[in-house]
């Protein structure tokens, strides 16, 4: 990560999609170095730099290493976010942020973002896009997965068939989605913020799990995309898809956690490494 270029954007405008989702549109000179990819789960690493850091005085071209000589408390925080839309022609990059008041780093930044505010990011990366060879598509996730789900639905052909399940706090968190007629979109309500809702509505008990497992399984080859809270996805839905339903890895290679309750992104990354090591050991 350290040697990757850091692209410099600026905020063009913001929009409150719901009470908990803020859309930030970036522009400026970022597209001079940023090249969009074709994945519908394209994501970037946003580098949150303190306002009092003079980036122009750092070693150029800008990378994470450029910040190494700063005092530890002045070094940036890095968070991962899905790209909602990248329009190279208009030179606009859209990112949707889930906001929970003053909680976290990215949400408060997005809430306070105003036109002209600088923004730094690395990427993009990605691995998933709907495969036209699939007979049907199973797509599921929570608010964190909404940008990728939205982009995937827009990329589906008009004759696509599928089922979509999206877990949010309640009806007030639904947003308009564009989906082919043959793709059913189902909103699942957990009844509260994802990070604060009681244990009987989260993790192993998240309503998303039952919604997916109880859905009618369509005939033919399915392609699966499921992302969201890690306990829900990694310990419940992924085993259901891979083992109980027997979906081959080729068609289910985009099932993983975007975040985990009670963990920052740094400790979540450590948890994911430990989980991957444990899985490798079990398969050895």
């Amino acid at each position: 990560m350290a040697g990757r270029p850091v692209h410099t954007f600026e905020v063009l405008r913001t929009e409150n999609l719901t009470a908990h989702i803020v859309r930030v549109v970036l522009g400026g000179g970022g597209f001079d170095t940023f090249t969009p990819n074709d994945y519908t789960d394209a994501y970037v690493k946003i580098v949150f730099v303190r306002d009092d850091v003079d980036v122009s005085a750092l070693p150029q071209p800008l990378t994470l290493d450029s910040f190494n000589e700063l005092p530890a408390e002045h070094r940036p925080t890095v968070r991962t976010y899905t790209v909602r839309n990248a329009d190279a022609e208009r030179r606009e990059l859209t990112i949707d942020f889930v906001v929970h008041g003053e909680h976290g780093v990215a949400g408060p930044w997005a809430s306070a973002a105003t036109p002209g505010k600088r923004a730094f990011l690395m990427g993009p990366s990605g691995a998933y896009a709907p495969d036209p060879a699939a007979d049907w598509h199973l797509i599921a996730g929570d608010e964190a997965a909404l940008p990728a789900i939205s982009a995937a639905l827009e990329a589906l052909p008009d004759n696509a068939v599928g089922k979509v399940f999206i877990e949010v706090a309640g009806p007030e968190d639904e947003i308009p989605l564009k989906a082919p007629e043959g793709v059913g979109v189902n909103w699942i309500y957990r009844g509260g913020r994802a990070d604060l809702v009681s244990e009987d509505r989260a993790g192993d008990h998240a309503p998303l799990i039952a919604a997916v497992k109880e859905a009618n399984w369509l005939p033919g080859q399915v392609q699966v995309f499921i992302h969201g809270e890690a306990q829900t996805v990694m310990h419940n839905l992924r085993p259901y898809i891979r083992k109980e339903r027997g979906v081959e890895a080729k068609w289910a290679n985009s099932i993983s956690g975007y975040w985990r309750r009670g963990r920052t992104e740094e400790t979540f990354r450590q948890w994911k490494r430990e989980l991957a090591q444990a899985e490798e050991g079990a398969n050895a």
Side-chain angles (χ1 to χ4, degrees):
M1 182 187 298
R4 296 167 63 188
V6 173
H7 314 289
T8 302
F9 286 83
E10 66 179 52
V11 175
L12 297 181
R13 60 187 180 276
T14 65
E15 177 186 0
N16 293 316
L17 299 186
T18 72
H20 301 116
I21 300 177
V22 176
R23 171 165 292 173
V24 179
V25 180
L26 305 175
F31 276 94
D32 292 343
T33 56
F34 179 91
T35 303
N37 61 34
D38 293 327
Y39 297 114
T40 56
D41 71 339
Y43 62 89
V44 294
K45 300 284 186 179
I46 303 178
V47 183
F48 293 99
V49 180
R50 288 170 49 129
D51 290 337
D52 58 356
V53 171
D54 182 3
V55 174
S56 65
L58 300 177
Q60 304 292 324
L62 196 65
T63 70
L64 273 191
D65 285 341
S66 301
F67 298 90
N68 286 349
E69 295 184 5
L70 295 175
E73 64 273 16
H74 286 189
R75 294 173 192 167
T77 300
V78 179
R79 291 291 181 264
T80 306
Y81 271 81
T82 303
V83 173
R84 175 60 184 88
N85 186 59
D87 190 329
E89 186 174 329
R90 292 172 58 91
R91 293 173 66 86
E92 292 185 351
L93 182 72
T94 302
I95 301 175
D96 293 346
F97 295 79
V98 177
V99 178
H100 295 309
E102 295 303 312
H103 179 72
V105 175
W109 180 90
S111 295
T114 54
K117 186 176 180 63
R118 61 186 182 176
F120 304 94
L121 57 86
M122 298 181 294
S125 300
Y128 164 83
D131 189 333
D135 295 309
W136 68 285
H137 302 265
L138 174 59
I139 300 173
D142 58 20
E143 296 95 331
L146 254 178
I149 291 174
S150 301
L153 291 178
E154 291 171 2
L156 288 171
D158 291 339
N159 64 347
V161 174
K163 295 176 180 288
V164 180
F165 300 92
I166 307 169
E167 182 188 289
V168 295
E172 68 279 5
D173 286 323
E174 293 186 25
I175 63 173
L177 296 176
K178 179 183 177 182
E181 185 176 344
V183 177
V185 177
N186 304 275
W187 294 92
I188 314 301
Y189 307 140
R190 81 174 74 85
R193 268 173 49 175
D195 59 330
L196 296 181
V197 73
S198 60
E199 291 297 328
D200 64 348
R201 302 289 290 174
D204 295 331
H205 307 287
L208 183 66
I209 299 170
V212 172
K213 289 187 175 183
E214 293 171 4
N216 291 331
W217 196 260
L218 301 180
Q221 181 59 61
V222 65
Q223 184 186 22
V224 181
F225 175 88
I226 301 178
H227 288 270
E229 197 279 324
Q231 185 70 23
T232 298
V233 174
M234 305 294 278
H235 290 279
N236 291 276
L237 290 175
R238 189 168 72 168
Y240 169 71
I241 296 297
R242 296 285 284 112
K243 295 179 181 178
E244 293 186 42
R245 286 296 180 178
V247 180
E248 297 178 3
K250 172 187 177 182
W251 298 100
N253 64 353
S254 195
I255 306 177
S256 69
Y258 272 168
W259 64 285
R260 183 170 171 81
R261 273 167 57 101
R263 290 179 180 260
T264 64
E265 181 160 333
E266 289 82 6
T267 59
F268 173 52
R269 286 197 293 262
Q270 176 61 32
W271 177 86
K272 288 183 71 174
R273 286 193 292 268
E274 293 170 354
L275 177 63
Q277 292 169 358
E279 290 181 343
E280 289 178 2
N283 295 329

